[in-house]
Amino acid sequence: MNKDLQFYIKTKKDWDKFASVRNSNKSYDLGLENDITNSNLNWNLPSYTKILEHKDLQSITDEQKRFVMGTQLLEFVEKTTILEVDYVNKVANNIALGKYNLEIPEILKLDALKIYTDEGFHAHFSKEMSDQIKSYYKISDDITPYLKNFFVKLNDIGSKFGPKNTYLSELASTIVSETLIVQDISNEMKGIVYEPIKEMFRDHMVDEAYHANYFSTFFKIIWPQLPNEKKEILGFNLCEALILLNKPRVDIFYYSLSKIGFDRNQISKYINEIYNDEDAQIKNIKKRSSNFLKLLNNCKVFDIRPVKEKFVENNLL
């Protein structure tokens, strides 16, 4: 048996024991109806929502700051719901049913159904959290337009290679998101101070650690099977997915800050001055993606010259 597969089997043995969908009886009720007048309800630390550091926002009230933080969390869980159902589970479905023209071990096909089940549950409790935040703030607006730019860019990854290679962009987005998500959730948790939300994120992170292990193994299995042409396309897509999935999503601030009196030009100015430091973004991507870049290096992804050049061009190597 392949040594990567042997290691995977060894490290996944407690997956069923700890998977939230199979052993949790938690409702992830945020209890917001009890905190409706609680001025101490803080979604996360102000430093996490960096836009609040802007000098022109120092005069807004604590309640307004909490609204900006709360809608940022709302954007995260709404994004998570869509990503889990429309993207990760599409790939899990294709793996499980053998729809890729690749030699995939039966155990990975079977475990793709665990991924599918876990992600459905994650989407469910993310949607529940979204509904509770909306109810708390009496938000009746559809915020999906503020997610549109992210998903348009996600769908555009690999589009230049034509429809016959769409599966490689879908694989790239899922492999990157699922191998980075533990770090992503860990970063989210560093800012969160409201315990019911921290509990949900902790459970989610346990599940995603198994998913990261799964997709790392999956990548090690499929990469050697690809001809160089497909390796080059997948490598390009991995680079683009890595950049996109590490970029701060700031469109939600056009919603939250407009609700407390700021116009679009002001909001654009604040976003530009706080978030558009390219050097800082590259440094952050490399820091958050160090294990993933190591995985690519170990799999000899950078032996494909155009792929290496792509990563170097984007200052990731």
Side-chain angles (χ1 to χ4, degrees), residues 88-100 102 104-117 171 214-215 218:
V88 179
N89 267 357
K90 182 177 182 180
V91 169
N93 171 81
N94 289 340
I95 295 172
L97 299 182
K99 292 185 177 182
Y100 296 122
L102 295 162
I104 299 172
E106 289 302 315
I107 191 164
L108 292 184
K109 290 182 181 179
L110 183 62
D111 284 354
L113 295 172
K114 288 186 181 180
I115 301 278
Y116 194 94
T117 306
L171 284 173
Y214 175 92
F215 278 103
F218 175 79

Side-chain angles (χ1 to χ4, degrees), residues 78 99-100 108 110 123 125-126 143 150 165 172 176 206 227 233 241 245 253 282 311 313:
E78 291 245 338
K99 292 185 177 182
Y100 296 122
L108 292 184
L110 183 62
F125 62 59
S126 294
I143 73 153
F150 171 76
N165 291 307
V176 172
V206 169
I233 295 171
L245 290 164
F253 297 130
I282 292 297
F311 277 79
E313 177 188 319

Side-chain angles (χ1 to χ4, degrees), residues 16-33:
D16 287 337
K17 180 179 177 182
F18 293 114
S20 58
V21 70
R22 287 181 277 281
N23 70 17
S24 176
N25 58 4
K26 299 169 187 172
S27 65
Y28 302 109
D29 185 349
L30 301 185
L32 297 178
E33 69 280 359

Side-chain angles (χ1 to χ4, degrees), residues 49-52 54 56-57 60 67-68 71 146 249-276:
T49 307
K50 286 188 68 64
I51 201 164
L52 295 176
H54 196 281
D56 290 356
L57 296 177
I60 67 175
F67 176 72
V68 174
T71 50
Y146 299 95
R249 296 184 310 279
V250 296
D251 286 357
I252 191 62
F253 297 130
Y254 287 104
Y255 176 79
S256 58
L257 291 176
S258 70
K259 289 294 184 181
I260 58 177
F262 296 92
D263 65 39
R264 189 169 186 85
N265 288 336
Q266 288 174 303
I267 299 166
S268 294
K269 175 178 179 286
Y270 305 154
I271 289 171
N272 185 59
E273 291 178 359
I274 293 293
Y275 292 99
N276 284 359

Side-chain angles (χ1 to χ4, degrees), residues 76 79-80 83-84 87-89 91 115 119 150-151 154 157 169-185 204 208-209 211-212 215-216 237-238 240-246 249 288-289 292:
F76 179 82
K79 182 272 297 183
T80 297
L83 194 68
E84 305 285 43
Y87 294 84
V88 179
N89 267 357
V91 169
I115 301 278
E119 300 296 23
F150 171 76
F151 285 109
L154 191 63
I157 290 174
S169 58
E170 293 170 349
L171 284 173
S173 298
T174 296
I175 289 166
V176 172
S177 68
E178 289 296 288
T179 50
L180 291 184
I181 195 168
V182 175
Q183 181 66 48
D184 199 22
I185 294 173
H204 193 171
E208 293 297 352
H211 296 190
F215 278 103
S216 293
N237 293 343
L238 288 168
E240 292 186 7
L242 192 63
I243 293 168
L244 176 63
L245 290 164
N246 274 294
R249 296 184 310 279
R288 292 179 62 189
S289 309
F292 182 70

Side-chain angles (χ1 to χ4, degrees), residues 292-308:
F292 182 70
L293 291 170
K294 193 179 296 181
L295 169 68
L296 299 187
N297 188 55
N298 290 343
C299 290
K300 303 189 184 306
V301 170
F302 305 125
D303 285 1
I304 307 296
R305 180 183 286 273
V307 174
K308 182 176 182 178

